[in-house]
């Protein structure tokens, strides 16, 4: 919202895009819609006046109708089990004739083909650039910048909590101390299991395989080892041998047309393009028939994810104008 | 040509693109055109039957007309002084109603605005992805994948000859020995001055500044120091201190709306994302308002440049269909 506001002049002058906020919804505030426009500043925390009794939308469909939404941004938290309720929100948006932009990975893992077909049928966009590497160009890059390549596989570091934790362990901290440190700097959540057990990274691997490699892999098909078993002694021994522990995401096509995918702590030599990535920096190396390509996003902040949503917004609105 | 042929099925099925070769021109074979189609294999070296006396095209315009070209690929060698004759070839193509695709950097430095306007007026594409980093997404990435960003500057390694030479000098070779080695492996030309004196890198910097930063810099405005003054002793001392010499390309906006740009040998710590690039690998790190982004092209071969041209071809034909 802040970034949308900050880029308002650019959007208007460079892309001819004007926008207003006509709906906000969250567990805390419920379904708030006002087709005439809501105050974006209020959306940032000051709250909205309550709708008169009995007039507030009661579900996503009523809310989309009341908001007369042209674009939905879906940014609820990940449900890795079934991708809900985000998938239903995105479907409702597309069915109502709005573009659907998701920062949530769940719907891709659980309903990519369906959402894609629905978007196509409705001539709307279903975009999700920010799901894997914030604002760094991944999904928008492939069809446009890398047409007709054969993507054979990829390797990457896609989870910042584990990357921060492993870096702190290299400084001599235990796993628990390193987690506490990551929580203090605002990288790790109160319950960091999703990160430490490799779930977040595995979901990202599944998203990449499904979308970029065209193989409808299931989350449980991604081999997954977290970093809880890595000891400070192992990290220190690796460092002494000129290596570093990283939680590596990996996928490669198999000879039977499938994909073998994994998330696993691995020791890398310092010369490896993945080894020098510190803190929240993420990296993906693509192995293609024409050349190898690495994309690094350096120490992204909150603005990077917001930018991924903004860039999808511009692509959706501009291409459909 | 080999890559076009290899990707023929992909082009037809995935993009609905069919093509034929209707003209080839080079200093050696002259202007060869045949609107019914030429044999691509012959173009790879076996030669064409000679046109009957007096019927062969005598210049680029006659050649484009005889070939009934829809797309021109311009891949002549760089003339850094005035960008000719490549600029005239591209202009002639656009004026004749063909898309103009250039692997030649000269026309961008000397006639970017003019060629862009001409393409726009003729509703044709003027594309040049392969000029700076072969097939890696740079120019196609910015408008589509990174809309509305503010590009503040960039740093990179964009010349493979000097990168190979500096790596060889780290192994103890003198400059002359390292150049010989780079020539043996087919990276350096017989006269490597363009590379060693930083001209190739400086032209690439100018192209990036002109196109991506929107500042019409001149080649002579790029501060340029080659690697001839770097001694084996300096390289060894840097290595001993945990640093590496690299020929670094750099640009940053100045407070007066201009750009300060340079090509210079510099010592980098090993933790720098540019430091570990070996051999022909090229790298560009973009400094933007939303995050930092690095793109690495790993050890590209001839196919990478060909791919840049192919990707431009697909973008030009598909978007204009």
């Amino acid at each position: 919202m802040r970034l949308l506001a900050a880029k308002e002049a650019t959007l208007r002058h460079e892309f001819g895009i004007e926008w207003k906020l006509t709906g906000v919804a969250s567990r805390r505030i419920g379904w708030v819609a006002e087709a005439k426009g809501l105050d974006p500043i209020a959306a940032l925390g000051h709250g909205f006046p309550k709708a008169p009794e009995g007039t507030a939308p009661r579900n996503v469909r009523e809310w989309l109708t009341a908001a007369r939404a042209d674009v939905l941004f879906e940014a609820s938290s990940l449900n890795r089990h079934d991708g809900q309720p985000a998938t239903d929100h995105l479907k409702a948006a597309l069915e109502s004739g709005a573009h659907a932009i998701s920062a949530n990975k769940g719907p891709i893992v659980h309903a990519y083909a369906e959402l894609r077909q629905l978007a196509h049928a409705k001539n709307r966009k279903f975009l999700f650039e920010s799901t894997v590497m914030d604002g760094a160009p991944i999904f928008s890059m492939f069809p446009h910048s890398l047409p007709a390549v054969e993507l054979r596989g990829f390797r990457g570091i896609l989870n910042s909590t584990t990357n921060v934790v492993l870096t702190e362990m290299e400084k001599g901290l235990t796993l628990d101390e390193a987690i506490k440190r990551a929580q203090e700097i605002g990288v790790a959540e109160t319950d960091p299991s999703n990160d430490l057990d490799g779930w977040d990274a595995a979901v990202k691997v599944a998203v990449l395989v499904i979308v970029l490699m065209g193989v409808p892999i299931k989350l449980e098909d991604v081999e997954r080892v977290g970093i809880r078993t890595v000891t400070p002694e192992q990290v220190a021994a690796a460092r002494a041998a000129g290596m570093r522990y990283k939680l590596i995401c990996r996928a490669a096509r198999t000879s039977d047309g499938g994909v073998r995918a994994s998330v696993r702590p691995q020791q890398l030599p310092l010369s490896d393009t993945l080894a020098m990535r510190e803190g929240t920096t993420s990296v993906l190396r693509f192995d293609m028939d024409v050349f190898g390509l690495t994309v690094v996003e350096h120490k992204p902040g909150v603005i990077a994810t917001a930018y991924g949503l903004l860039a999808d917004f511009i692509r959706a609105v501009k291409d459909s104008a």
Side-chain angles (χ1 to χ4, degrees), chain A:
Chain A
M1 193 53 65
R2 270 186 230 282
L3 186 64
L4 256 178
K7 292 279 187 186
E8 186 143 20
T10 307
L11 287 177
R12 189 178 307 121
H13 298 131
E14 209 175 311
F15 300 96
I17 296 173
E18 297 196 34
W19 59 273
K20 62 184 174 185
L21 177 70
T22 62
V24 180
S26 75
R27 207 163 284 163
R28 190 171 57 79
I29 65 166
W31 305 101
V32 176
E34 171 51 70
K36 285 186 213 128
L38 292 160
D39 178 6
I41 302 302
L44 291 172
H46 302 291
F48 300 102
K50 247 193 138 50
E53 189 72 13
T55 64
R58 287 163 303 176
N59 56 46
V60 64
R61 275 157 222 277
E62 288 184 12
W63 174 69
L64 286 161
T65 306
R68 295 195 208 144
D70 296 317
V71 180
L72 168 83
F73 296 93
E74 159 58 54
S76 60
S77 53
L78 172 67
N79 172 348
R80 69 170 188 261
H81 304 291
D82 63 5
Q84 293 296 8
T87 302
D88 280 347
H89 298 163
L90 295 166
K91 273 196 225 174
L94 291 167
E95 280 163 2
S96 80
H99 300 296
I101 297 175
S102 184
N104 190 318
K105 302 178 275 290
I108 324 281
V109 174
H110 293 283
Y112 177 61
E114 191 184 355
L115 286 162
R116 207 179 114 128
Q117 279 156 23
L118 180 58
H120 189 258
K122 293 285 182 176
N123 197 22
R124 297 287 87 181
K125 300 277 178 187
F126 166 46
L127 300 173
F128 42 83
E129 185 67 285
S130 60
T131 51
V132 169
M133 233 166 118
D134 306 306
I138 302 295
F139 301 110
S140 63
M141 184 176 74
F142 267 82
H144 183 76
S145 286
L146 294 168
V149 298
E150 183 196 320
L151 179 59
R152 293 173 174 168
F154 60 82
R155 287 198 306 138
I157 298 173
L158 298 172
N159 178 267
S160 42
T161 296
T162 47
N163 209 35
V164 169
V165 166
L166 289 170
T167 305
E168 292 300 321
M169 286 174 76
E170 287 180 342
K171 296 177 192 159
L173 301 191
T174 65
L175 179 67
D176 286 341
E177 289 165 348
I179 293 168
K180 200 166 282 174
R181 182 87 195 87
Q183 284 166 333
E184 281 162 13
I185 62 174
V187 173
E189 291 169 58
T190 318
D191 174 7
S193 320
N194 256 336
D195 297 318
L196 299 182
D197 294 332
W199 283 114
D200 175 74
V203 174
K204 286 174 175 166
V205 167
V207 168
L208 290 166
V209 169
I210 291 167
V211 178
L212 297 182
M213 301 180 79
V215 176
I217 197 174
K218 300 247 174 284
L219 181 53
E220 52 269 31
D221 297 335
V222 180
E223 186 191 326
R224 184 183 47 78
V225 180
I227 64 163
R228 291 196 203 257
T229 55
V230 178
T231 65
E233 291 70 32
Q234 286 176 312
V235 171
R239 206 68 172 110
M243 310 279 278
R244 298 187 87 178
Y245 264 99
K246 293 287 177 189
L247 185 66
I248 299 300
C249 298
R250 188 188 290 266
R253 290 191 196 276
T254 53
S255 54
D256 62 355
V259 164
R260 193 188 159 94
S262 64
V263 172
R264 253 201 308 253
Q266 282 188 282
Q267 296 181 51
L268 300 179
L270 297 185
S271 59
D272 190 292
T273 200
L274 272 50
M276 300 307 275
R277 305 303 147 200
E278 307 270 352
T280 61
T281 294
S282 55
V283 54
L284 255 177
R285 178 175 171 151
F286 297 103
D287 176 24
M288 301 180 290
D289 58 339
V290 288
F291 50 81
L293 180 77
T294 294
V295 176
V296 185
E297 187 186 44
H298 296 275
K299 304 206 169 125
V302 176
I303 199 178
T305 306
Y307 175 73
L309 291 165
L310 175 73
D312 276 346
F313 174 61
I314 295 172
R315 281 186 286 266
V317 174
K318 196 180 51 129
D319 292 355
S320 312

